[in-house]
Each structure stands twice: as structure tokens, then as C-alpha cells.
Amino acid sequence: MNFDKKLVDISRQAEKDLREIYDRFDEISFNNTQRVMSSFAENRVAEAMFNSSSGYGYDDRGRECLDKIYAEVFGAEAAFVRHNIVNGTQALAIGLYGLLRPGDTLYSVAGKPYDTLEEVIGICGTPGNGSLADFGVKYKQTELINGKEFDFDAIEKELTSDVKVVFIQRSKGYLQRKTLSVAQIGELVKFVRARSNAYIFVDNCYGEFVEEFEPTHVGVDLMAGSLIKNPGGGMAECGGYLCGSQKAVELASYRLTTVGIGGEVGATIGQNKSMYKGFFYAPHTVAQALKTAAFAAYLFDKLGFEVEPSYCEKRYDIIQMVKLLKPDYLCAFCEGIQAGSPVDAYVTPEPWDMPGYNHKVIMAAGTFTSGSSIELSADGPMKEPYSVYFQGALTYESGKFGVMCAAQAVIDRMNKQ
Ligand SMILES: *Cc1c(COP(=O)(O)O)cnc(C)c1O
């Protein structure tokens, strides 16, 4: 791969100017790693816990211990981590179905939840399919003010007695809004607690280990995420987790398996080791992803593109957005990321029709684990302003390389015109 001298020069300058920011990511990673390792030590993690279990999975010490470790590290009373939660959406759905009953209201206070939850809630999809709406659960939402702050006045009015779950998506996901900090979520917890008995449930996808505290540290009742994102550390093959108060986690566990059974069973069929190892790596891997994102923000800013967040802004998730403005540049960016990936680097991504969208989407993912987005990956809808959202990188070096490949591909496309 040949990089233009200009690009190499900006990259060098980037690393000089980002020194302190990188140091901060490393410091957060060290503090989070310390928490993880203390918990491993206190819970006497031992090689025998990596043994496989089958059938009911009774007495799987590895499974029980990892549940405790997740709870401890995330400052929660209880947790369950399972390889057979298929994705983040299922983890979130387990929590929602666990807490909500007919006649209750689910209230989202940070605007629209992640796309895949719309069918779960029943604000789209086919009636009769078993959505929450089918079971008589009502739904309402309040937008963030200017896409960045909770609208406390509106929330005060909407916190009626039928609200059973207050829902917060921490990460902006693929929306045009800011990611919420744990401190902001803490403020909301205090506000809601003073006015309501509702459970507070956080979609924590892409947020784990970005700060030194998680939403459960500031008192939310339940929080969920995916193991092919941050907490799997790039090692877990699949899975999801939920953690929170004893009560909320117990109710959720009845949806994971069934009422009366909960989280006491479940064979781990050889997945324990990669889940432990992933959680051990996770603070470090997240720091690699954060450095890669800040590096990209710097590079593309200097190349004249609008980026969000900017390289010097505080980060609360691992997602980086670059507004590329032209379909050509969006394709070039994704081609560059793909070419700079460890797997399938020879493949050329192309825009394709995604079910449920009225425009094409282009994606780049050359990952060891299919669909893993703690590994370097990018996607963008083929519509104005042709923004790309990308995240991840297992190592900073490979992330930097991938981002430089993307920048070179965009520069080449600009020079053609
Ligand atoms: C990834 C993600 C989810 C869940 O998506 P899955 O693809 O089902 O894992 C939910 N919310 C947010 C904010 C996400 O980033």
C-alpha cells in the first residue's frame, strides 16, 4: 500500500497532537483493567472454569462466576452473560419482555430506540407477531433537546403511573444526536427516582469501558449489550449480557429461559474461555477502537470533511461519523476500510438494497467474527449527506492502517475529479 506523502505527514502530526488524548484512553483502560483483574482474583478464576458443560449445564462454575464478575465490574447486584443470546437486540428484548406487563407503558426518554427494536416494541411490523404492542404494552417517547440533553420538563409530565420502564439508549447509534455520558444518565436516574417507581433500562451497546463507570454504577435497574461489541473484547464468538438490580435481572432471566428456571441453567458448550478472555481484553480493545476513531476524526478533519465527534471532543461510545458528501467518496471510504482489513481484504464492497430501507447501504467488514463491530467496520446509507459511521479495531496499528487506506482511497477519488 502506497500512501501519499501528504497523508503520511498528516498522520504523523495526528499522533503528535493526539498524544494526550491517547494517554487518557490508556489511563481509562488501565483503571478498567484493574477492576476486571481484581474481580477475576477475588472470584478465584481458575482454569477449570473454562471446561465445557453440556445438557442442562448444572454446576457450571465458569458460567456462574462470569455472571458474578460482570455484575461486580459493572457495579450491579446481578448479571447473566450467555453465548446463546444471539445479538444485542435479543438482549434488549429479554429485558423488555422481562419487565413489562399488559397495560404498562414503555417510555423512551432519548428519542427513538435502535431500529431493530421498533418491531419488538410494535411501532412497526405485522400485528399478531408477538411484539410488546400485541401484549398490550403501550409506548411513548420524548426527544432529546438539540439532540444532546434530556428534556426534564417534558419527562416530568410524561412520567405517569402507568410507566413501568424508562428506556435510555446511551449511544447515538446511527442517529444524528450526541451519545449520552454516564454522568447525564446519573442525573436522569435521580430525577426519575424522585418521581416514579419505574425501572430504568439502558441500551449500553458500544458504551462499555469507554468511561470508568457504567450506567449501572449510577443506579439504573437494568442494562444490556452485545458480546460482539465492546465487552466481548474481540474474543467472544457471540453472545450478550444483562446486568442490574437483583429483581430486574431475575425477571429478565425468566425471559432468557423460562419462569421458575431463570439463569440457573444453560450449557456453555466450550464458550467460557473466549468470554472470560474477551472480558479481560475488553478495556484494552475499547482503547484501541477509541484511538482509531480519534485518529480518523483528525485525519478527515484535516482533509476538509465534517466529523462527529471531533478529535478533541470527549467520547462516550466508539462510533465515529464522517460526512463524505458524495456517493463516490462514501464508496471509496468503505473500499479503503475493506482493503485495510485482516480478513476478506481482496473483496470490493458494493451498495445493496437492505430490507426495510428505501435507499441502498454500503458496508465494509473484514472481520474474524462475522458481523463483529468491535473489529474495524463501516457502513453508510447511500443518501445525502453520504455519511459513514464506523467503529472498532482490535489493535490501534491495524485500525490506523485501515483508516489510512480509507483516506488514501478518498484522496484518489478526489484527485480524479
Ligand atoms: C448494535 C446496537 C444494538 C443491537 O444490535 P444487534 O445488531 O442486534 O446486536 C442496539 N442498540 C444500539 C445502540 C446498537 O449500537
Side-chain angles (χ1 to χ4, degrees):
M1 179 56 77
N2 279 324
F3 296 120
D4 288 1
K5 181 171 182 306
K6 176 187 163 194
L7 178 56
V8 173
D9 288 345
I10 303 174
S11 300
R12 259 199 209 112
Q13 193 58 42
E15 290 186 320
K16 281 193 192 126
D17 292 348
L18 291 167
R19 197 66 266 160
E20 278 179 26
I21 290 170
Y22 286 4
D23 286 349
R24 179 73 190 125
F25 295 148
D26 285 338
E27 188 185 329
I28 294 170
S29 168
F30 177 68
N31 292 334
N32 284 332
T33 296
Q34 259 189 310
R35 272 215 322 280
V36 170
M37 293 188 71
S38 304
S39 182
F40 271 41
E42 274 160 33
N43 288 289
R44 297 166 170 262
V45 171
E47 197 183 358
M49 292 179 178
F50 309 146
N51 289 343
S52 190
S53 66
S54 63
Y56 293 121
Y58 288 141
D59 299 321
D60 185 322
R61 279 178 56 218
R63 185 195 67 226
E64 290 167 6
C65 182
L66 191 61
D67 287 354
K68 266 186 81 182
I69 288 170
Y70 261 68
E72 253 176 51
V73 170
F74 288 160
E77 287 172 7
F80 54 81
V81 196
R82 293 295 181 275
H83 75 274
N84 57 339
I85 294 177
V86 299
N87 57 17
T89 305
Q90 192 196 351
L92 290 158
I94 286 169
L96 292 171
Y97 280 94
L99 299 178
L100 289 155
R101 299 291 175 270
D104 289 344
T105 296
L106 167 63
Y107 176 32
S108 173
V109 291
K112 195 178 81 63
Y114 201 67
D115 280 354
T116 54
L117 287 180
E118 288 181 25
E119 276 196 62
V120 174
I121 297 167
I123 43 185
C124 76
T126 323
N129 63 3
S131 69
L132 289 166
D134 260 359
F135 287 99
V137 173
K138 294 177 294 252
Y139 172 76
K140 61 185 178 183
Q141 72 183 42
T142 293
E143 299 301 322
L144 294 174
I145 298 176
N146 299 326
K148 59 182 180 194
E149 272 155 31
F150 289 118
D151 186 345
F152 288 107
D153 291 339
I155 294 170
E156 171 124 61
K157 289 192 194 88
E158 296 286 349
L159 266 183
T160 42
S161 61
D162 57 319
V163 173
K164 172 70 83 56
V165 172
V166 169
F167 187 80
I168 307 165
Q169 180 180 310
R170 177 177 173 188
S171 168
K172 65 176 165 292
Y174 301 133
L175 294 173
Q176 303 277 358
R177 69 155 172 96
K178 292 278 187 189
T179 291
L180 297 161
S181 67
V182 171
Q184 279 177 294
I185 293 172
E187 287 301 305
L188 185 95
V189 169
K190 280 192 214 139
F191 187 85
V192 171
R193 290 276 183 259
R195 292 162 178 81
S196 160
N197 292 322
Y199 292 104
I200 304 168
F201 184 13
V202 171
D203 172 353
N204 204 33
C205 283
Y206 290 133
E208 298 88 354
F209 296 124
V210 172
E211 297 184 70
E212 287 173 27
F213 296 97
E214 302 296 332
T216 27
H217 284 110
V218 296
V220 309
D221 299 279
L222 197 60
M223 158 173 120
S226 162
L227 297 201
I228 58 168
K229 294 180 180 174
N230 305 14
M235 296 275 167
E237 302 278 350
C238 51
Y241 78 92
L242 284 102
C243 69
S245 69
Q246 202 75 47
K247 180 83 196 295
V249 170
E250 187 182 338
L251 287 170
S253 79
Y254 292 157
R255 273 288 158 170
L256 169 73
T257 58
T258 190
V259 181
I261 305 286
E264 307 286 302
V265 296
T268 51
I269 47 179
Q271 294 301 307
N272 279 350
K273 184 167 169 176
S274 61
M275 291 197 290
Y276 273 92
K277 210 169 166 185
F279 204 54
F280 164 77
Y281 266 94
H284 174 76
T285 312
V286 167
Q288 306 304 294
L290 289 169
K291 285 181 192 177
T292 302
F295 177 77
Y298 187 100
L299 220 61
F300 280 88
D301 175 76
K302 297 301 173 202
L303 292 174
F305 294 96
E306 195 181 313
V307 298
E308 152 58 39
S310 73
Y311 65 88
C312 49
E313 232 171 300
K314 256 193 131 176
R315 282 170 195 271
Y316 301 115
D317 66 17
I318 62 168
I319 299 175
Q320 178 65 45
M321 189 275 284
V322 182
K323 212 182 262 186
L324 290 158
L325 299 175
K326 291 191 178 169
D328 249 19
Y329 297 171
L330 174 55
C331 289
F333 185 100
C334 290
E335 286 163 21
I337 292 286
Q338 189 75 37
S341 295
V343 181
D344 293 335
Y346 63 92
V347 169
T348 307
E350 277 178 22
W352 56 295
D353 286 305
M354 274 231 315
Y357 290 84
N358 46 17
H359 43 74
K360 294 187 182 218
V361 174
I362 185 163
M363 292 184 176
T367 57
F368 289 99
T369 296
S370 175
S372 168
S373 48
I374 186 62
E375 300 184 47
L376 187 63
S377 48
D379 53 68
M382 296 299 295
K383 62 166 188 180
E384 290 191 351
Y386 299 99
S387 295
V388 71
Y389 294 83
F390 79 98
Q391 63 275 312
L394 294 180
T395 66
Y396 168 64
E397 294 79 1
S398 64
K400 174 184 165 186
F401 176 70
V403 167
M404 286 180 74
C405 289
Q408 185 64 55
V410 172
I411 291 169
D412 288 346
R413 214 62 58 99
M414 287 162 91
N415 289 341
K416 259 198 208 162
Q417 287 166 352

